[in-house]
Amino acid sequence: MAGDNVPVIDIAVEAGAWKAQDDEDVITHAIEMAADMSEYDVAGAELSVVLTDDASIRAINAQWRHKDEPTNVLSFPAPPAVPGAPHLLGDIVIAHETTKREAEAEGKPFADHL
């Protein structure tokens, strides 16, 4: 069960390979546990997670990191907070196919690797 130090998590599913509710539950649980262990106050802050595919994350990786290849996850921290504005933590983008390949290569369940 999550404690009091948890952000608001917005999850967008942009690729059909994701098992929406199951995968969203895994991600939400992981973020809540990390937030509870954090030394930073993230209560009420906003975090965006996008569940996508290799093609989409490859384009994002090429644009922002100049690496024309898929990757498992990209993260984009938000700029410093502006007084009076919502506290934004940033964005996380996860590719299903790469995450699945890595889990299989490491012999672990997809949810554990996710």
Side-chain angles (χ1 to χ4, degrees):
M1 177 172 226
D4 294 331
N5 190 35
V6 295
V8 174
I9 306 163
D10 178 33
I11 300 176
V13 180
E14 293 187 350
W18 291 96
K19 291 184 252 168
Q21 194 58 54
D22 291 343
D23 294 333
E24 288 181 40
D25 289 347
V26 169
I27 290 166
T28 299
H29 180 72
I31 291 169
E32 289 173 348
M33 294 299 100
D36 280 346
M37 294 186 295
S38 176
E39 63 186 84
Y40 301 102
D41 180 12
V42 296
E46 297 177 24
L47 176 66
S48 172
V49 179
V50 177
L51 304 179
T52 193
D53 58 22
D54 275 1
S56 179
I57 208 164
R58 179 180 183 168
I60 297 167
N61 203 20
Q63 177 182 357
W64 292 99
R65 298 180 63 227
H66 308 292
K67 295 184 178 189
D68 190 14
E69 60 189 17
T71 186
N72 58 356
V73 64
L74 293 170
S75 61
F76 300 92
V82 176
H87 181 190
L88 306 176
L89 294 176
D91 304 313
I92 299 171
V93 184
I94 306 170
H96 189 274
E97 297 95 332
T98 298
T99 303
K100 183 178 179 181
R101 275 193 311 275
E102 291 174 348
E104 289 171 353
E106 296 176 18
K108 62 173 101 168
F110 179 80
D112 289 354
H113 190 57
L114 177 59

